[in-house]
């Protein structure tokens, strides 16, 4: 195999190699961390490109660069910020300060902004302009119920559907962060998000936008970093199986044949849960998932959204989040089970009609569009599913697992993916260092 020859020429076998299966966010973050620590890295990606569910591509149909999904970081995403620093692309992510989240409810015409402030929870909520209209600070204090939620309780059970903030805050938050409706989303996991963001103050909540696209900030710089470290990467290299004996992986099986795993190597499976279960049956990963539908429109000129920011939360509409970047107007629908099986043309027409009314202007006939459906975008972040998230270790001493679906203590987001990769990297490095010291 070409990678095997590359590894031999580079002398990597002397100190061992970290074999990373998958070049999505988890795989790239693992590879970068291992390469940064001075270890040899080889990456095997089944697709023709890196990035997984988090990448940009040139769409010939609408004639411009688009992301396969609209993503946003917040200031609390420390693992992602460290990753960006490591690959030298922190300046390609724009931070919005002070933290502001604009919302619009078209059927009533109400507009408002959530504007977190002091980490002392009640203080910023005393200002009406920082919270949902018609609510008071006591309504938000009910969120403390989430801190005492049991592992099997949902947000709907803890907060209650009759809560004045249910449709205007808790439901949008659950869909955006957990990709799961509040009726079934884990109350415990939502509380973790609140603790890491709203309860830490304004800086932890600042939205961070990928103005030049996902690949420009998250993927291309990582590949350049790895290339500079003489890491090997092979595309369209789908791992078909593993061979192991006793407590170690002995070889990896690709369509071309077997690639031997040396005693001082480590293997990291940074692949979707269903693929991981095929490769390592003892994983027993979560199988229930939730889809996300993204629709991109190429408009004649940049659109200024209500609130003046490049994103807008929508209440009571099919569209949930609206993003404006250059001549691309994008809509995201999370927990999109009701939409994912509709014909693409129907989705595009329905949402274009909806947002032209929302924006209150004649934007003409349906422009060039692209619908992207991620049918298994994330695991369903319900109490029952989250209970089955595996850790990074396995019964094999040199095999580790990464992915936003593994147990990270965080939602299945970019941050969760990158954190899982960092954890798998640390375990792989520890294993390899131990073998070196023992020898």
């Amino acid at each position: 195999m070409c990678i095997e020859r590359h590894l031999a020429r580079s002398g990597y076998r002397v100190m061992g190699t970290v074999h990373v299966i998958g070049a999505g966010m988890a795989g790239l973050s693992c590879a970068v961390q291992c390469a940064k620590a001075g270890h040899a890295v080889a990456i095997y990606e089944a697709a023709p490109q890196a990035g997984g569910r988090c990448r940009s591509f040139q769409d010939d149909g609408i004639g411009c660069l688009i992301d396969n999904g609209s993503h946003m970081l917040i200031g609390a995403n420390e693992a992602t910020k460290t990753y960006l620093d490591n690959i030298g692309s922190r300046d390609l992510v724009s931070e919005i300060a002070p933290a502001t989240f604009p919302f619009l409810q078209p059927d009533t015409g109400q507009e408002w902004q959530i504007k977190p402030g002091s980490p002392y929870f009640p203080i910023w909520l005393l200002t009406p302009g920082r919270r949902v209209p018609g609510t008071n600070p006591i309504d938000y204090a009910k969120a403390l119920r989430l801190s005492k939620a049991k592992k099997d309780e949902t947000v709907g059970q803890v907060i209650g559907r009759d809560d004045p903030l249910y449709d205007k805050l808790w439901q949008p938050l659950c869909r955006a962060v957990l990709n799961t409706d509040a009726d079934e989303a884990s109350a415990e996991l939502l509380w973790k998000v609140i603790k890491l963001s709203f309860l830490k103050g304004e800086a932890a909540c600042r939205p961070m936008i990928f103005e030049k696209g996902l690949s420009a900030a998250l993927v291309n710089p990582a590949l350049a970093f790895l290339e500079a470290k003489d890491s090997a990467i092979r595309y369209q290299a789908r791992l078909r199986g593993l061979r192991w004996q006793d407590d170690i992986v002995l070889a990896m099986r690709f369509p071309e044949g077997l690639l031997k795993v040396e005693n001082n190597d480590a293997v990291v499976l940074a692949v979707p849960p269903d693929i991981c279960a095929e490769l390592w049956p003892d994983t027993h990963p979560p199988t229930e998932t939730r889809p996300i539908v993204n629709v991109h429109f190429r408009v004649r000129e940049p659109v200024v959204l209500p609130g003046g920011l490049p994103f807008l939360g929508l209440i009571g509409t099919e569209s949930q989040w609206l993003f404006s970047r250059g001549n691309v107007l994008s809509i995201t629908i999370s927990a999109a089970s009701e939409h994912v099986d509709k014909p693409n043309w129907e989705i595009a027409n329905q949402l274009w009609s909806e947002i032209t009314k929302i924006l209150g202007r004649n934007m003409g006939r349906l422009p060039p569009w692209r619908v992207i459906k991620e049918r298994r975008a994330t695991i369903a972040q319900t109490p029952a599913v989250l209970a089955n998230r595996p850790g990074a270790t396995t019964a094999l001493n040199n095999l580790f697992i990464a992915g936003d679906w593994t147990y990270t203590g965080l939602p299945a987001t970019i941050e969760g993916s990158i954190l899982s990769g960092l954890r798998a990297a640390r375990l792989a490095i520890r294993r390899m260092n131990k073998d070196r010291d023992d020898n």
Side-chain angles (χ1 to χ4, degrees):
M1 296 178 65
C2 59
I3 280 192
E4 190 168 29
R5 291 195 297 270
H6 174 86
L7 295 174
R9 287 198 306 270
S10 303
Y12 281 2
R13 295 304 190 191
V14 175
M15 61 179 296
T17 300
V18 182
H19 301 276
V20 180
I21 314 302
M25 284 298 95
L28 288 176
S29 69
C30 177
V32 166
Q33 186 71 12
C34 291
K36 183 185 175 208
H39 288 273
V41 174
I43 307 170
Y44 312 83
E45 169 56 48
Q49 71 286 312
R53 293 163 294 157
C54 189
R55 61 184 178 86
S56 311
F57 63 95
Q58 181 70 28
D59 186 276
D60 294 335
I62 65 174
C64 58
L65 186 76
I66 60 174
D67 294 332
N68 64 337
S70 298
H71 294 268
M72 183 169 63
L73 303 176
I74 60 170
N77 293 157
E78 296 297 335
T80 305
K81 291 194 291 187
T82 298
Y83 170 78
L84 293 168
D85 288 338
N86 287 340
I87 62 177
S89 62
R90 183 78 170 269
D91 60 336
L92 294 176
V93 180
S94 300
E95 184 178 74
I96 295 175
T100 305
F101 298 88
F103 287 90
L104 169 65
Q105 184 171 350
D107 63 345
T108 64
Q110 279 188 317
E111 295 184 40
W112 66 90
Q113 296 179 335
I114 300 294
K115 302 179 71 173
S118 165
Y120 298 99
F121 184 66
I123 294 179
W124 59 272
L125 289 167
L126 295 175
T127 305
R130 291 179 176 267
R131 60 178 193 256
V132 178
T135 63
N136 60 63
I138 300 300
D139 296 325
Y140 298 82
K142 293 177 184 177
L144 296 174
R145 298 174 186 172
L146 295 170
S147 67
K148 300 179 180 179
K150 299 176 182 177
K151 287 186 177 296
D152 62 350
E153 288 187 304
T154 67
V155 174
Q157 289 171 328
V158 174
I159 297 293
R161 286 194 60 89
D162 58 345
D163 188 278
L165 286 170
Y166 193 83
D167 292 323
K168 296 184 178 181
L169 180 61
W170 305 125
Q171 180 69 287
L173 189 58
C174 283
R175 286 174 172 169
V177 179
L178 306 185
N179 191 31
T180 306
D181 281 337
D183 286 346
E184 55 181 5
S186 165
E188 184 180 60
L189 189 56
L190 183 63
W191 176 247
K192 174 69 72 70
V193 173
I194 292 171
K195 279 203 306 181
L196 292 174
S197 54
F198 292 106
L199 293 189
K200 286 198 171 182
E202 181 269 332
C205 298
R206 290 177 184 172
M208 301 174 71
I209 305 296
F210 298 96
E211 289 189 344
K212 296 186 181 299
L214 297 173
S215 289
L218 295 169
V219 182
N220 299 339
L223 296 176
F225 175 91
L226 292 167
E227 182 179 356
K229 295 290 185 179
D230 204 25
S231 301
I233 183 166
R234 183 178 172 218
Y235 298 106
Q236 294 181 303
R238 184 178 295 277
L239 181 64
R240 296 298 186 185
L242 299 170
R243 285 194 178 181
W244 64 88
Q245 185 175 354
D246 298 328
D247 59 356
I248 61 169
V249 177
L250 299 176
M252 302 182 293
R253 180 169 57 85
F254 292 91
E256 302 91 328
L258 289 176
L259 177 62
K260 185 179 180 181
V261 176
E262 303 291 342
N263 289 337
N264 55 345
D265 290 352
V267 178
V268 177
L269 298 179
V271 295
D274 56 330
I275 303 299
C276 190
E278 293 176 9
L279 297 171
W280 178 240
D282 284 359
T283 306
H284 305 300
T287 57
E288 188 179 348
T289 60
R290 293 291 181 271
I292 295 177
V293 172
N294 289 279
V295 186
H296 303 283
F297 299 100
R298 192 192 73 200
V299 293
R300 291 191 295 266
E301 57 187 23
V303 175
V304 178
L305 301 177
L309 294 180
F311 65 95
L312 175 68
L314 297 169
I315 304 298
T317 56
E318 298 297 325
S319 308
Q320 294 172 7
W321 290 91
L322 195 54
F323 294 86
S324 180
R325 188 178 76 202
N327 281 53
V328 178
L329 195 60
S330 302
I331 296 171
T332 295
I333 304 176
S334 300
S337 298
E338 295 182 3
H339 298 82
V340 74
D341 290 323
K342 293 179 181 178
N344 289 352
W345 63 265
E346 180 180 327
I347 295 173
N349 275 281
Q350 178 184 11
L351 298 187
W352 180 250
S353 175
E354 182 174 72
I355 63 171
T356 53
K357 294 176 182 176
I358 289 170
L359 296 175
R361 53 190 285 193
N362 182 8
M363 299 176 66
R365 299 173 61 184
L366 181 68
W369 54 270
R370 174 68 182 267
V371 174
I372 299 176
K373 298 174 178 177
E374 291 283 358
R375 292 183 176 274
R376 293 179 289 182
T378 69
I379 58 173
Q381 292 171 87
T382 66
V385 171
L386 294 176
N388 293 322
R389 295 172 93 179
T393 58
T394 71
L396 304 183
N397 291 336
N398 62 345
L399 179 66
F400 307 97
I401 299 173
D404 61 7
W405 54 273
T406 63
Y407 179 74
T408 61
L410 298 177
T413 56
I414 291 175
E415 175 76 358
S417 292
I418 289 176
L419 180 60
S420 76
L422 295 176
R423 289 181 173 179
R426 294 187 191 110
L427 291 167
I429 292 169
R430 186 184 306 163
R431 147 79 188 190
M432 297 172 71
N433 288 345
K434 180 179 183 301
D435 281 354
R436 181 191 60 195
D437 294 341
D438 290 345
N439 292 331

